[in-house]
Amino acid sequence: MPQLIAAFENDLCEMAEEELRTRGIPLWPWKQARRRERIQSLRQILTVRHRLIPSQPRRSAWSDTLVDRPGDQWSQEAFRIATESEDGLDLNHYLSSGLRRAAPDAQLNDWGLTHLHLGGRQEGKPFSLRSDELLFVVVRPDTVYFVDIGTHGSFSALTLFETVHRNWPQLLSRGRLPDNVSADSLSDLERATLRKKGANAITTTADGTAYIAPGLGQAASGVSTWAVMMADRMVDDARQFQRVCELNAAGIAKGADQLGIALTYPAEVRLIELGDQFVAYLPAAQLKIWGERGASTLKMSGPREIP
């Protein structure tokens, strides 16, 4: 009976760790004696991806606050970033250098706002010049919504959230609570303190509208809920794909034989891709196996198709 040796969950975490190494990001500490904790590597790279802005052309939308702002140096920087965004240029160097540590962004997790530094590009450097002045935006696939210019003391400022609520309430809709839900208003300091403790607090606007974590929130560890849920989903996908491969071991052996490949069992098979398609690889036979989410059948190719 053909038998496969596979550990796709482990392979998935190894791929995450390799991407972190490629980006020069040190791994978060996890206890290697506890295998389950290795999923932290996956959550870590997803935290990075959650913060990154994919490079593509986006139109610009401006809040009433910025439209009324005097045309100072920082407004000019904001307009320059808008032009770069509309041209599809990479905006990630304006992000916080905390990306080097895969640090979660509490404001992004809570309100869905991204902050960009306004110090200007540094030639040959991965990040722009640090500046106390920050541009706060909401990034969507087709639009960047320019909210306001503030400082590092503005991360929990209710005025930012009020600006989004006033100009584009649809951006906050997934966190809006029913009209009959009310909560005491928090001070900016109280909100910042709760974020540091990993709590998700209700934000109440001046007109009484209540929201909770329109940015999807954070786990107690501070990691975004999105990264936690996505990591769990990817692990589940990897496990299911492994089961499909194991259940189709006889079919894989038959397919390999048809391709003129003699497999020796037990045969090691590794996960090498998990995204729009699932791909596994048998190193000893240079054999690729393709699958799709929810499918019970597989496709195969021999060494000549392997790059």
Side-chain angles (χ1 to χ4, degrees):
M1 179 76 178
Q3 182 181 1
L4 302 177
I5 299 175
F8 284 4
E9 180 180 348
N10 190 64
D11 296 337
L12 182 64
C13 293
E14 282 191 7
M15 288 190 284
E17 290 161 13
E18 180 58 31
E19 184 174 344
L20 289 166
R21 283 190 289 268
T22 299
R23 293 181 179 274
I25 299 173
L27 298 179
W28 288 345
W30 53 275
K31 298 177 182 178
Q32 298 195 23
R34 297 177 60 183
R35 184 166 171 262
R36 173 61 183 167
E37 287 201 0
R38 196 171 189 183
I39 196 176
Q40 291 285 17
S41 304
L42 188 56
R43 291 173 181 166
Q44 185 176 0
I45 195 59
L46 288 170
T47 294
V48 174
R49 293 180 188 174
H50 184 50
R51 294 188 60 180
L52 291 174
I53 303 172
S55 297
Q56 62 190 59
R58 293 178 174 86
R59 72 180 186 90
S60 301
W62 297 85
S63 72
D64 53 8
T65 303
L66 283 178
V67 168
D68 293 339
R69 182 184 175 92
D72 58 11
Q73 169 190 355
W74 310 116
S75 295
Q76 293 174 17
E77 284 295 313
F79 278 111
R80 184 173 58 79
I81 290 174
T83 300
E84 293 182 3
S85 173
E86 290 164 6
D87 290 341
L89 300 183
D90 182 10
L91 302 182
N92 289 304
H93 62 92
Y94 294 116
L95 296 174
S96 167
S97 57
L99 276 172
R100 292 193 180 108
R101 307 185 309 277
D105 185 331
Q107 186 191 51
L108 176 64
N109 296 342
D110 187 3
W111 288 346
L113 271 70
T114 294
H115 67 277
L116 307 176
H117 284 263
L118 295 175
R121 290 178 177 268
Q122 295 188 92
E123 188 66 30
K125 299 290 182 66
F127 293 99
S128 63
L129 288 168
R130 303 297 88 187
S131 62
D132 191 43
E133 291 75 18
L134 301 172
L135 173 64
F136 294 91
V137 299
V138 177
V139 180
R140 291 292 186 266
D142 60 351
T143 306
V144 175
Y145 297 86
F146 290 78
V147 179
D148 202 356
I149 293 170
T151 68
H152 285 85
S154 304
F155 289 122
S156 59
L158 182 60
T159 53
L160 288 175
F161 193 86
E162 290 276 9
T163 299
V164 181
H165 170 70
R166 184 173 63 251
N167 287 269
W168 311 289
Q170 73 276 12
L171 299 180
L172 307 172
S173 60
R174 64 187 175 191
R176 180 164 178 165
L177 296 172
D179 292 339
N180 61 351
V181 174
S182 61
D184 294 335
S185 296
L186 299 173
S187 69
D188 295 350
L189 179 58
E190 288 172 330
R191 184 173 297 104
T193 301
L194 287 171
R195 284 178 180 172
K196 287 180 181 178
K197 293 181 178 180
N200 296 300
I202 293 176
T203 300
T204 304
T205 59
D207 64 8
T209 307
Y211 297 90
I212 186 163
L216 293 181
Q218 61 182 350
S221 62
V223 177
S224 72
T225 303
W226 177 86
V228 173
M229 293 189 303
M230 185 60 69
D232 289 344
R233 176 184 176 183
M234 292 175 71
V235 166
D236 187 57
D237 284 343
R239 289 172 175 169
Q240 289 189 34
F241 185 40
Q242 178 176 327
R243 283 194 289 271
V244 171
C245 290
E246 291 169 341
L247 289 171
N248 283 276
I252 291 171
K254 182 178 179 180
D257 185 62
Q258 292 172 345
L259 291 168
I261 300 170
L263 292 178
T264 302
Y265 296 98
E268 179 192 15
V269 57
R270 302 200 63 181
L271 180 70
I272 61 172
E273 186 176 334
L274 187 74
D276 294 334
Q277 62 179 356
F278 304 160
V279 184
Y281 182 56
L282 281 80
Q286 295 183 296
L287 185 68
K288 269 188 176 180
I289 303 170
W290 280 271
E292 296 180 359
R293 181 177 290 108
S296 59
T297 58
L298 301 169
K299 296 180 181 179
M300 301 170 57
S301 70
R304 283 175 295 183
E305 286 83 2
I306 305 278

